[in-house]
Amino acid sequence: MTSLALSTYDGPATRRAAQRFVDLYRNVFTEPPWHEDETRVEEFRTRLTDDTHRPGFRAVVAHLDGCWIGFTTAWPTQPPFPTNRAYGTVRDRLGPDRVDELLVGALEIDEVAVSPAAQGRGVGGRLLDATLATAPDCRAWLLTWTTSPQAIGFYTRQGWRAAQPVPDSADEVVVFLSPEHPGSMGAPAQDARINSSDWIKS
């Protein structure tokens, strides 16, 4: 894919291009296996606008011959660790001490999306690598759901490792640490023997 180009957007630039992000999100996540409806798409629009005001927000966009085919959104997780969205589940999964140790101050990758038409071409990996390039001390994290084996397989093959959960924690989420995150050393690999693609939802 020699024509693939990557561009970085800060918060204001992302807000100006919000409709393009929403259109691509719709293209990715209203398709199988996600089947999101228009209400969820509009929730993403609101969430994206809010997220662009976070300190250090950035988006990386992949485009091919002028067409957007994928994007990531990310920002450094600020203290104190949030409790809204799925953050409470993450805290329950790892425990408050591990959350502060592993996630606060690390780059939080919120969305990873690749158009179904571009899947299987390495776009997701290129986007992740570009997003990780500015991670503080190579520390980054993301979460995905155990109901998404495609995402688990993808991140595992990219070298990400699941953070060790506390005993008896709920298992609906997997918290992944970036390959060079100090906390990922010795972390168990997830089973990557899964039929996967690049349409990822974290």
Side-chain angles (χ1 to χ4, degrees):
M1 188 177 288
T2 57
S3 300
L4 180 70
L6 299 176
S7 302
T8 301
Y9 287 65
D10 62 9
T14 300
R15 289 193 293 275
R16 289 193 295 270
Q19 188 60 51
R20 300 193 74 173
F21 284 93
V22 172
D23 289 344
L24 183 51
Y25 183 96
R26 179 184 292 108
N27 176 248
V28 174
F29 295 119
T30 58
E31 295 293 317
W34 310 110
H35 302 288
E36 293 194 2
D37 59 20
E38 197 62 27
T39 298
R40 295 293 300 275
V41 173
E42 289 304 311
E43 288 173 355
F44 167 73
R45 184 194 302 274
T46 300
R47 187 169 74 248
L48 178 67
T49 300
D50 292 343
D51 289 340
T52 60
H53 295 282
R54 294 176 184 260
F57 172 92
R58 69 188 68 100
V60 179
V61 175
H63 36 96
L64 183 64
D65 299 328
C67 296
W68 285 30
I69 59 172
F71 70 86
T72 62
T73 58
W75 54 82
T77 303
Q78 303 295 313
F81 193 74
T83 57
N84 62 336
R85 297 191 189 177
Y87 291 112
T89 304
V90 171
R91 181 179 289 275
D92 292 343
R93 181 72 169 157
L94 301 187
D97 292 341
R98 297 268 291 159
V99 159
D100 290 343
E101 173 193 352
L102 297 175
L103 309 187
V104 172
L107 185 69
E108 175 182 345
I109 300 180
D110 184 60
E111 293 285 353
V112 181
V114 175
S115 169
Q119 64 184 328
R121 303 183 186 182
V123 177
R126 293 274 303 273
L127 280 166
L128 272 182
D129 288 346
T131 306
L132 283 173
T134 55
D137 300 321
C138 300
R139 298 171 70 242
W141 71 280
L142 56 83
L143 72 86
T144 192
W145 304 92
T146 53
T147 54
S148 177
Q150 298 93 343
I152 291 172
F154 171 76
Y155 293 124
T156 300
R157 287 194 303 278
Q158 296 296 315
W160 289 63
R161 292 291 179 266
Q164 190 68 32
V166 298
D168 300 321
S169 62
D171 62 357
E172 66 263 34
V173 301
V174 180
V175 180
F176 274 104
L177 304 177
S178 54
E180 297 185 27
H181 191 303
S184 72
M185 306 307 174
Q190 295 288 315
D191 188 351
R193 294 172 298 175
I194 297 170
N195 179 25
S196 178
S197 70
D198 278 343
W199 23 258
I200 306 303
K201 184 168 182 60
S202 58

